[in-house]
Amino acid sequence: MNKLILGHLNINSLRNKFDILQEQVKDNIDILMVSETKIDESFPIGQFLISGFSTPFRLDRNSNGGGILMYIREDIPSKLLSIENAPIEGFFIEINLRNKKKWLINCSYNPQKSSLSSHIAALSKSTDLYTSKYDRLIFLGDFNAGVENVSLKSFCNRFNLTSMNNRPTCFKNPENPSCIDLILTNCPRSFQNSTVIETGLSDFHKMVVTVMKTTFCKIDPKIISYRDYSDFCNDSFRDSLLHNMPDRLIGNCVKDFDNFTKTCNIILEEHAPCKKKYVRGNHSPFMNKTLLKAIMLRTRLRNVFLNNRTRVNRKKYSNQRNLCVSLLRKSKREYYSSLNEKKICDNKKFWKVVKPMLSNKIVSNEKITLVEGDNIVKTEKETATILNNFFSNIVKKLEIEPYETNDNIFQNISDPVLQAIVRYRDHPSITAINEKCDASSHFTFPKVSEEVILKEIRNLKVNKATQGTDIPTKIIKENSDIFGEFILSNINSCIDQSTFPSSLKLANIIPVHKKDSKSLKENYRPVSILSNISKIYERYMFRQMSEYFESLFSKFQCGFRKGFSAQHCLVSMLEKWKSAIDNKMSFGALLTDLSKAFDSLSHDLLIAKLNAYGFSLAALRLVQNYLTNRKQRTKINSEYSSWEEIVVGVPQGSILGPLLFNIFMCDLFFIVNDIDFASYADDNTPYATGNCMDDVVLKLENTSKTLFQWFKNNQLKANPDKCHFICSSSNTVNLTVENEKLQNSRCEKLLGVNFDLKLSFNAHTHDLCKKAGQKLNALSRITPYMNLDKKKLLVNAFFLSQFNYCPLVWMCHNRTNNNEINRIHERCLRLIYNDKRTSFEDLLKIDDSVSIHQKNVQTLAIEMYKVFKGLSPSVFSEIFPRTKKSHYELRHTSDFIIPRVKSVNYGSESVHYLGPKIWDSLPSSMKELDSLNSFKSAIKSWVPISCPCRLCKTYIHNVGYI
């Protein structure tokens, strides 16, 4: 019979004792409640994840900073039960064991003995809500009173509860210890071997432990599929491929693609057969046979000692336990030392190797347990089906109103492309495109050359995720002449026949947890895995189409375009805001919200727009065929759902999808052309400046009418009630959008950056430091097993990446924020070099690096070089006006106009002012470098000594910055 071990520990603070707790718990306890741990708003729950356990349920209501964490092993199906207006400091959890045995577990904490009566009354009231549904009850908690207490005794009698432990647990008064940490249940016969254990973690409390006699589903072994290349010979494979390939499979017919793939896989199976191996559900990558055997022996010796507690048995068990600890550390050290440096630098490999030890947000190795109604879904097949149906039908639930057209006008037209053109010929977007674009413009897909195909094959990445039926990318690249000839012939055949291979339209969906509860399907997002060969076809189409549309895109469209970024979008907007405030003007912005914009894009309307942009019928038919008859299925480990057809939306995970979305959105900026935008993909934020707030509100209200009408006409679901409004006024300002009144907020988040109406970025820099601190805490658990070089690579990739996103947006912050960033950076360097005494400045010299702020200044210098060379987007370069060329070479001539400013916070502390200043401080030899890569290499060794910002100036009390 399997056993489920439950424990409760009262600990004063978890932060400094988590590693010890993890070592004691992960192999011994299945369900653990930790109470009275110091928890505040900044408590980084993500770094306190015990390997093999789900994300702990958390409660932090206690006014004295105390709270509750509840750990449950991830192979035990569980869900958090909600209680409306719950008056107790605790929560209820359901666990579902085999044979549909559901247990209700309550975790609660009573801070003081004097409040026990009210705590018990509230607990009784909450329990009454569940007693009709659950007949098996468990109560874990620190009640600050023993079972002999009148209130607690009455509570136990009411629900027929028995205490599983009568031994003292609290030794605050050693002469009179008390039993206040309790495990109560109404099924005492289901438990055995209840005891208390000294853990060394709590100041006064022992851990109370009991064993539930039950059976539950363990994590199923993971099935890993791979190809065995141990006896593979590429020359022999090539001979077999050329000999067995039928002459008719020369790629002249699109249908030949499936036959070609099938033949290749059959031949490849003979030379590199597919095999499967099974590993434990909670397999650790550093586990080896020596360590596994040692752990098995430790378990046997432990059982012998528990049955016969002699000194000899204890000594044997103790020695074997110490040996396991030593072997574990050695195994971890060997594993992390053997990591390829490329795996640390490469984002995908890095996360795949390191993230399972640092976070619970992993894609394929976690067990997904969904709750549908009142039932817990256990099988992976059923889970995959539920998620696939949810992902496939998510657009239908939006109930988007179709654009009204006269369907009778194309009843006699059988061609779906011509149907779409005729149906939307009077659409407002089509009219706007016809007015904007040159009628003589014409686009068609030209035939592709062999050189282009071979180049695309060389650019394929071997380690990108592929489908199980794909020909391995490694094989394609090693035999590029054979595969290149077929793909060349096939893709040209696709262009002639305006058809896209059907097998390249299939997608495997991997569900990834987004936020909140893991038991709800709404909290997962799909990640599509497409065929590796489809990338060759799509990249060719992408290059042709993007080159044609580049001149048609608006300067405000910063998403999915080469040379554009979210930083360009945000800096352009914020610098105009700062300039407005500096000139005593007002600003305002409307943050719009679209639901599933990529998934709800209309194929027919997109075809009609492409026709208006000048696409030929052959090109339109190819794009239409590419979009239609696409199917997807969801994969959970080795189980798949059935195929579901996707009738709307651009293909997720594709190369061509983002470009098609940009094309679909392009005419928005033809229609709404009297206001500025911060636009990145489906985030469209119109903003305005004016002499007074009334002018700003009027501009935004007028724009919102046109904007939301465009959303409606283009069959996109806009949510006026989820829009946000921010402006420079600290007083209450109302903005009417679609009959919804929006009040101005003081702080908003756009494209991952928090900003407030004063543009101080206090909240954003605080969040950056908080996230960076969490990463460092997690990294500190594995860096002791690494050498210096790998430690630097890992910490830089994992830590500095927090500060590399849009640094120009928040670089003009105050000294308090800068000191906070420097402290966390100093902590990072101390972790790398294991140095607790050297100053921060000396650590930077040892590391041969600069501070975060100095790195941001270098980033600004790089952007100024791009503006100077004409490599920067116009929406960004417009904030740096150039000086007119003069026939005379003056000593202090600047390449950029330095604006006149009136204030510090919004004038001299702005990117549009600091940029020209920093550019002028660069040496001439650096400015004259020919290539951007050369400038980036040179700027790394440049330290901005004469930076004009206030962070680089010396501050003297009662004097100011000098």
Side-chain angles (χ1 to χ4, degrees):
M1 178 174 289
N2 291 331
K3 299 177 181 179
L4 195 68
I5 304 177
L6 293 83
H8 168 238
L9 176 64
N10 191 311
I11 184 172
N12 57 323
S13 178
L14 183 63
R15 290 179 182 269
N16 301 322
K17 304 173 182 178
F18 173 72
D19 289 337
I20 303 175
L21 176 70
Q22 180 179 230
E23 291 298 325
Q24 294 184 358
V25 166
K26 64 181 181 180
D27 294 327
N28 303 310
I29 305 292
D30 298 297
I31 299 177
L32 173 67
M33 172 188 168
V34 181
S35 65
E36 205 175 323
T37 183
K38 299 300 181 184
I39 299 177
D40 53 28
E41 292 181 355
S42 63
F43 187 83
I45 193 75
Q47 64 183 273
F48 296 111
L49 301 175
I50 299 178
S51 176
F53 285 73
S54 59
T55 306
F57 299 109
R58 166 186 177 182
L59 176 77
D60 51 358
R61 296 185 190 172
N62 202 333
S63 58
N64 64 1
I68 300 171
L69 290 177
M70 183 67 172
Y71 291 95
I72 298 180
R73 198 171 293 277
E74 65 180 357
D75 56 326
I76 302 175
S78 62
K79 68 176 179 178
L80 180 66
L81 304 177
S82 60
I83 308 176
E84 296 183 0
N85 301 320
I88 63 170
E89 291 191 9
F91 43 76
F92 288 93
I93 296 172
E94 174 196 308
I95 63 171
N96 194 330
L97 306 178
R98 189 174 295 172
N99 300 325
K100 297 184 178 180
K101 290 184 178 180
K102 295 182 180 180
W103 286 79
L104 180 68
I105 301 180
N106 171 262
C107 307
S108 62
Y109 172 51
N110 176 42
Q112 298 177 352
K113 186 176 182 180
S114 59
S115 62
L116 180 63
S117 298
S118 59
H119 177 79
I120 291 297
L123 184 59
S124 300
K125 184 178 179 180
S126 300
T127 306
D128 285 335
L129 300 174
Y130 294 108
T131 51
S132 61
K133 185 177 178 181
Y134 300 92
D135 55 358
R136 300 177 181 88
L137 306 176
I138 304 174
F139 292 84
L140 301 172
D142 175 11
F143 290 88
N144 262 309
V147 289
E148 68 279 359
N149 183 278
V150 177
S151 299
L152 194 54
K153 185 181 294 185
S154 174
F155 174 73
C156 293
N157 292 336
R158 180 176 180 182
F159 295 101
N160 192 27
L161 301 176
T162 302
S163 175
M164 291 294 96
N165 172 60
N166 295 315
R167 300 184 184 183
T169 60
C170 179
F171 294 84
K172 192 170 185 178
N173 183 358
E175 298 179 358
N176 185 27
S178 57
C179 179
I180 64 175
D181 303 300
L182 303 175
I183 299 180
L184 308 174
T185 182
N186 64 342
C187 301
R189 292 187 178 180
S190 297
F191 296 85
Q192 64 181 10
N193 297 334
S194 301
T195 186
V196 294
I197 302 173
E198 174 59 56
T199 62
L201 293 170
S202 181
D203 293 341
F204 310 111
H205 297 262
K206 291 185 178 182
M207 179 187 291
V208 55
V209 176
T210 189
V211 180
M212 180 192 294
K213 298 177 290 184
T214 185
T215 58
F216 60 94
C217 299
K218 294 289 186 181
I219 299 179
D220 296 331
K222 296 174 185 175
I223 304 175
I224 300 177
S225 300
Y226 68 99
R227 284 197 178 273
D228 184 8
Y229 289 100
S230 57
D231 298 325
F232 178 76
C233 176
N234 191 60
D235 292 336
S236 177
F237 169 75
R238 286 176 58 87
D239 293 339
S240 299
L241 187 63
L242 293 172
H243 180 265
N244 292 282
M245 190 64 63
D247 294 336
R248 63 183 179 83
L249 294 182
I250 57 175
N252 287 333
C253 178
V254 175
K255 294 181 180 179
D256 286 346
F257 183 87
D258 295 339
N259 297 329
F260 176 80
T261 304
K262 183 179 179 180
T263 303
C264 288
N265 280 325
I266 293 174
I267 298 171
L268 184 60
E269 185 68 21
E270 298 175 359
H271 294 79
C274 287
K275 293 185 177 180
K276 295 181 179 180
K277 64 179 179 180
Y278 293 80
V279 297
R280 291 182 57 181
N282 58 349
H283 173 73
S284 297
F286 44 78
M287 183 64 67
N288 54 45
K289 290 184 179 180
T290 303
L291 178 59
L292 184 61
K293 290 181 179 179
I295 292 176
M296 294 172 64
L297 179 58
R298 180 196 65 182
T299 303
R300 289 199 296 268
L301 293 176
R302 178 177 176 273
N303 293 334
V304 170
F305 168 67
L306 292 177
N307 292 328
N308 186 12
R309 295 175 179 267
T310 64
R311 182 175 297 179
V312 174
N313 289 341
R314 181 183 179 85
K315 185 66 175 177
K316 290 181 180 180
Y317 167 61
S318 178
N319 290 340
Q320 187 64 24
R321 183 185 61 189
N322 295 339
L323 175 62
C324 287
V325 173
S326 176
L327 290 175
L328 177 62
R329 291 174 178 172
K330 179 181 178 181
S331 178
K332 284 184 177 181
R333 191 175 293 108
E334 291 177 351
Y335 172 76
Y336 288 115
S337 298
S338 64
L339 285 181
N340 190 336
E341 292 183 358
K342 294 181 179 180
K343 289 189 177 183
I344 297 178
C345 297
D346 182 85
N347 189 50
K348 183 177 181 294
K349 295 177 183 177
F350 166 75
W351 283 106
K352 185 176 180 180
V353 173
V354 178
K355 195 173 183 180
M357 281 74 75
L358 304 179
S359 171
N360 65 314
K361 293 185 178 180
I362 47 180
V363 175
S364 58
N365 294 334
E366 66 178 2
K367 181 180 177 63
I368 299 177
T369 304
L370 296 181
V371 176
E372 283 285 284
D374 295 331
N375 300 319
I376 296 179
V377 182
K378 294 183 179 180
T379 65
E380 293 178 343
K381 180 74 173 180
E382 188 178 357
T383 301
T385 301
I386 292 173
L387 286 173
N388 196 55
N389 291 334
F390 172 72
F391 295 145
S392 302
N393 299 313
I394 195 169
V395 177
K396 294 181 181 179
K397 296 181 180 180
L398 297 178
E399 298 180 351
I400 299 175
E401 297 180 7
Y403 181 75
E404 295 183 1
T405 59
N406 184 6
D407 295 341
N408 295 327
I409 60 178
F410 56 83
Q411 283 186 349
N412 298 325
I413 303 175
S414 59
D415 189 341
V417 171
L418 295 178
Q419 283 185 359
I421 295 172
V422 174
R423 181 179 184 181
Y424 291 103
R425 63 186 177 188
D426 297 325
H427 192 278
S429 291
I430 305 300
T431 303
I433 294 172
N434 289 331
E435 293 175 354
K436 182 72 175 179
C437 297
D438 185 4
S440 62
S441 59
H442 183 76
F443 174 84
T444 187
F445 289 103
K447 292 292 185 69
V448 63
S449 65
E450 182 179 4
E451 182 182 355
V452 171
I453 293 299
L454 293 177
K455 180 181 179 181
E456 296 297 346
I457 291 177
R458 288 194 296 268
N459 290 335
L460 288 176
K461 296 183 179 179
V462 176
N463 294 295
K464 282 288 185 181
T466 59
Q467 299 179 353
T469 57
D470 283 350
I471 303 171
T473 307
K474 171 186 175 182
I475 299 297
I476 296 176
K477 297 187 73 170
E478 290 180 352
N479 301 277
S480 58
D481 54 339
I482 299 176
F483 288 95
E485 182 181 357
F486 173 81
I487 293 174
L488 171 65
S489 179
N490 189 260
I491 196 171
N492 284 330
S493 177
C494 289
I495 295 171
D496 289 336
Q497 301 175 26
S498 297
T499 308
F500 198 84
S502 57
S503 59
L504 300 184
K505 301 179 186 179
L506 305 179
N508 287 336
I509 301 296
I510 306 297
V512 178
H513 178 246
K514 293 188 299 184
K515 59 180 180 179
D516 300 335
S517 174
K518 290 185 176 181
S519 62
L520 300 178
K521 60 188 177 185
E522 293 83 6
N523 296 333
Y524 288 86
R525 65 179 178 88
V527 174
S528 298
I529 307 298
L530 298 172
S531 169
N532 53 355
I533 296 181
S534 70
K535 294 178 175 60
I536 300 175
Y537 289 70
E538 289 190 40
R539 192 171 286 114
Y540 166 72
M541 297 173 66
F542 174 86
R543 293 184 190 279
Q544 301 296 326
M545 294 174 66
S546 59
E547 182 179 346
Y548 180 78
F549 275 98
E550 190 58 36
S551 60
L552 295 172
F553 286 141
S554 169
K555 65 178 180 180
F556 297 119
Q557 288 183 273
C558 294
F560 313 123
R561 295 176 65 187
K562 185 177 181 180
F564 289 73
S565 68
Q567 179 168 256
H568 295 135
C569 170
L570 291 173
V571 170
S572 174
M573 178 183 70
L574 294 173
E575 289 304 304
K576 291 177 182 177
W577 290 3
K578 287 186 177 183
S579 180
I581 299 176
D582 191 51
N583 291 291
K584 297 184 179 180
M585 298 173 65
S586 301
F587 74 80
L590 173 64
L591 282 69
T592 61
D593 180 81
L594 291 174
S595 296
K596 304 297 178 182
F598 278 75
D599 296 323
S600 55
L601 184 144
S602 170
H603 293 169
D604 286 350
L605 182 53
L606 175 61
I607 294 299
K609 290 185 177 184
L610 291 175
N611 175 70
Y613 282 120
F615 270 51
S616 66
L617 279 177
L620 290 174
R621 291 191 176 103
L622 179 56
V623 175
Q624 192 269 347
N625 189 269
Y626 166 81
L627 291 171
T628 54
N629 298 321
R630 303 192 75 91
K631 296 180 180 180
Q632 69 178 33
R633 63 179 179 179
T634 298
K635 177 185 178 184
I636 306 291
N637 292 329
S638 58
E639 296 291 341
Y640 292 89
S641 67
S642 58
W643 292 102
E644 288 285 342
E645 185 175 357
I646 306 302
V647 295
V648 293
V650 294
Q652 295 284 353
S654 65
I655 295 173
L656 204 54
L659 174 61
L660 293 175
F661 184 82
N662 271 352
I663 294 171
F664 189 86
M665 298 293 293
C666 184
D667 63 276
L668 167 64
F669 303 96
F670 299 163
I671 297 175
V672 189
N673 54 12
D674 56 349
I675 200 169
D676 291 339
F677 271 85
S679 176
Y680 193 91
D682 59 339
D683 286 311
N684 297 285
T685 302
Y687 61 91
T689 59
N691 294 323
C692 64
M693 188 52 62
D694 291 339
D695 293 341
V696 173
V697 170
L698 182 61
K699 289 180 182 179
L700 291 177
E701 286 183 344
N702 291 335
T703 298
S704 67
K705 294 177 183 178
T706 310
L707 184 62
F708 278 80
Q709 185 61 46
W710 187 92
F711 290 151
K712 183 179 180 180
N713 291 339
N714 285 266
Q715 303 171 57
L716 297 176
K717 182 67 173 180
N719 302 305
D721 55 327
K722 294 184 179 181
C723 294
H724 296 272
F725 170 50
I726 189 171
C727 64
S728 54
S729 176
S730 57
N731 299 323
T732 301
V733 180
N734 291 323
L735 180 71
T736 304
V737 177
E738 295 288 283
N739 299 322
E740 294 282 345
K741 282 193 174 182
L742 307 178
Q743 266 191 9
N744 59 318
S745 56
R746 302 187 64 87
C747 184
E748 287 296 339
K749 186 174 185 178
L750 179 63
L751 299 181
V753 177
N754 291 301
F755 55 91
D756 52 39
L757 58 90
K758 294 185 178 180
L759 307 182
S760 63
F761 298 103
N762 292 334
H764 185 72
T765 53
H766 176 73
D767 286 348
L768 287 178
C769 293
K770 178 182 175 181
K771 292 177 182 178
Q774 293 175 1
K775 305 302 181 187
L776 286 182
N777 287 339
L779 286 169
S780 63
R781 292 162 50 190
I782 62 173
T783 48
Y785 305 105
M786 291 183 161
N787 59 36
L788 180 61
D789 292 335
K790 286 188 172 63
K791 195 185 301 184
K792 289 177 67 174
L793 284 171
L794 183 63
V795 171
N796 288 336
F798 208 26
F799 169 80
L800 291 178
S801 61
Q802 304 298 318
F803 300 95
N804 288 341
Y805 179 72
C806 298
L808 301 188
V809 176
W810 50 268
M811 69 173 291
C812 297
H813 49 260
N814 57 39
R815 283 177 175 263
T816 302
N817 297 334
N818 192 56
N819 291 337
E820 185 180 8
I821 293 173
N822 285 342
R823 282 194 297 269
I824 198 72
H825 192 190
E826 180 182 352
R827 181 183 164 200
C828 169
L829 294 176
R830 295 195 188 284
L831 177 64
I832 294 176
Y833 295 100
N834 195 24
D835 189 335
K836 298 181 180 179
R837 296 184 178 181
T838 307
S839 66
F840 177 48
E841 291 74 15
D842 291 337
L843 284 171
L844 288 174
K845 293 179 181 178
I846 295 173
D847 192 56
D848 193 23
S849 61
V850 294
S851 66
I852 300 295
H853 174 68
Q854 290 174 329
K855 187 176 181 182
N856 292 344
V857 174
Q858 292 177 349
T859 303
L860 180 55
I862 293 173
E863 290 297 330
M864 294 304 299
Y865 177 86
K866 291 164 66 176
V867 173
F868 181 72
K869 294 292 185 178
L871 304 175
S872 187
S874 60
V875 70
F876 183 82
S877 59
E878 285 174 356
I879 65 177
F880 303 105
R882 299 285 298 271
T883 55
K884 294 182 179 180
K885 293 184 179 180
S886 174
H887 296 289
Y888 305 97
E889 294 205 9
L890 303 178
R891 180 178 301 176
H892 301 291
T893 300
S894 176
D895 296 310
F896 297 93
I897 297 175
I898 299 177
R900 295 181 179 180
V901 296
K902 301 176 182 178
S903 64
V904 174
N905 289 337
Y906 307 107
S908 58
E909 289 298 308
S910 62
V911 171
H912 70 270
Y913 178 84
L914 292 177
K917 287 279 189 179
I918 291 172
W919 178 255
D920 290 344
S921 66
L922 293 174
S924 300
S925 58
M926 194 176 293
K927 295 180 185 179
E928 295 170 357
L929 291 173
D930 294 331
S931 67
L932 179 60
N933 290 333
S934 301
F935 185 84
K936 287 181 178 180
S937 300
I939 203 69
K940 291 180 181 179
S941 59
W942 176 75
V943 179
I945 300 175
S946 58
C947 177
C949 75
R950 62 184 168 193
L951 297 181
C952 298
K953 295 179 181 178
T954 303
Y955 179 78
I956 300 178
H957 185 63
N958 293 330
V959 176
Y961 297 100
I962 61 172

